[in-house]
Amino acid sequence: MEDKEFVKEVATLYRKARTSIYPDELIRRGRNHTVASQVEDLFAAFVLRNLPEIGKLDGRVFIDQPITFSKEGRRKSLYPDVAIGLQNRLTQLWDLKMDLGWNRRGFLEFCAGKSALVKEIRGCEAKLFDGTTSKSYIFDERVTYNVAVISKLNISASMLGPQLDKVGILENIGVYFLTERAHPNDPSHKTIELFMEAVRLNEIDFKKLRERLKEAVS
C-alpha cells in the first residue's frame, strides 16, 4: 500500500463517518461515527502489504487486543492498537492517533510512559486472547512502542516542538507524523480530491515508519 493510498483511505473513512449507515434523505447525523477503530484496521492492512514476510514467518498482526503479562508476581495489561507477532515473539507495538488534540500538553509524558513500559516488558511472557483462542508470546528483547499520528495539525508548533525535542531522546519509542497542512476530517475540503490537493504527506516520517516496520521482521 502506497503512502498516498493510505492517507486517501483515511480521508475516505472520515467522509463515510459523516452519514448514517442507514441512509435516508430525512436522516441527518450530528457528530461523526468514530473512525479510530477503522484506521486501526487500515494500518494493520498497511503493515501486511509492506511486510509480506509476516505470513512466511508464521506471523500475525493483532488489532486492539488486550495483552497480559506478569512482572514480579503482579499481573498487568496493556492495550496497543496494533501489535506484530512473529512465531512466539511480539516484536512491535503501535498506537494510532488522528492528531494530538486529545493530549496537547501531555504528549511527552505519554511517550515517556511507553518508553518505560518497553523496558519493563522485554523478555516477559505475554498472553493474547482474540475472542476465541488464547496464545502465548514472549516480548522480544528488542520490542519497541511506536506512535503513528495521522495529522500534525490541531496542536501549535510552539507547544509541540519542545515536547518532540525531548521525545527524540527517549529510548525504545518511535513517533511519526504522517501529514500536515490539511486535516482529513476538515469539512471545508468538499471532496477527497480537494483534500488530497491540500494535504502534504510527510515523506520523511513515512520513510522512517517503513524502516521501523522492517525491524519487526529482522
Side-chain angles (χ1 to χ4, degrees):
M1 182 183 293
E2 297 295 328
D3 303 345
K4 187 175 181 179
E5 181 184 358
F6 177 84
V7 171
K8 185 176 182 179
E9 185 60 24
V10 172
T12 300
L13 290 174
Y14 267 116
R15 278 151 183 77
K16 289 180 178 178
R18 295 171 187 163
T19 60
S20 170
I21 60 175
Y22 302 103
D24 187 286
E25 63 179 8
L26 300 181
I27 296 176
R28 296 289 187 274
R29 278 197 63 84
R31 293 187 296 178
N32 291 359
H33 292 286
T34 178
V35 302
S37 62
Q38 297 178 71
V39 173
E40 293 167 4
D41 291 356
L42 174 62
F43 185 75
F46 181 87
V47 170
L48 282 177
R49 293 182 189 179
N50 284 279
L51 293 178
E53 304 94 320
I54 288 178
K56 300 174 184 177
L57 296 172
D58 189 28
R60 296 289 186 276
V61 179
F62 300 101
I63 303 172
D64 195 23
Q65 292 194 24
I67 304 174
T68 61
F69 67 99
S70 294
K71 189 76 172 183
E72 298 177 349
R74 295 180 59 192
R75 186 179 180 185
K76 302 182 180 182
S77 299
L78 62 152
Y79 303 87
D81 293 332
V82 171
I84 301 175
L86 295 179
Q87 298 174 342
N88 69 332
R89 298 177 297 123
L90 289 174
T91 59
Q92 285 187 0
L93 307 174
W94 287 82
D95 275 352
L96 281 295
K97 304 297 183 184
M98 298 303 104
D99 54 47
L100 295 187
W102 58 282
N103 195 10
R104 294 183 181 93
R105 297 185 182 278
F107 187 60
L108 171 60
E109 183 179 355
F110 171 83
C111 291
K114 299 305 183 186
S115 175
L117 174 65
V118 168
K119 295 178 182 179
E120 180 180 12
I121 64 178
R122 283 179 168 168
C124 291
E125 181 180 359
K127 290 188 180 295
L128 291 85
F129 184 72
D130 63 8
T132 57
T133 59
S134 179
K135 187 171 177 59
S136 294
Y137 282 87
I138 298 294
F139 285 110
D140 193 88
E141 291 292 344
R142 296 183 299 162
V143 66
T144 56
Y145 211 113
N146 306 277
V147 185
V149 185
I150 301 299
S151 176
K152 204 171 185 178
L153 300 182
N154 209 11
I155 184 173
S156 67
S158 61
M159 186 175 293
L160 177 61
Q163 293 188 81
L164 286 185
D165 289 342
K166 295 179 181 178
V167 168
I169 62 177
L170 294 173
E171 296 178 341
N172 316 315
I173 188 165
V175 176
Y176 312 93
F177 289 88
L178 304 184
T179 69
E180 49 191 89
R181 292 187 181 172
H183 196 291
N185 193 32
D186 186 347
S188 68
H189 305 296
K190 300 298 184 182
T191 66
I192 297 294
E193 289 70 27
L194 288 174
F195 165 73
M196 293 304 295
E197 290 177 6
V199 73
R200 179 175 179 240
L201 274 63
N202 189 338
E203 296 180 358
I204 293 176
D205 274 21
F206 259 114
K207 182 179 179 181
K208 290 180 179 178
L209 184 149
R210 290 174 183 275
E211 291 173 347
R212 175 54 63 89
L213 284 175
K214 290 179 182 178
E215 295 175 6
V217 295
S218 63

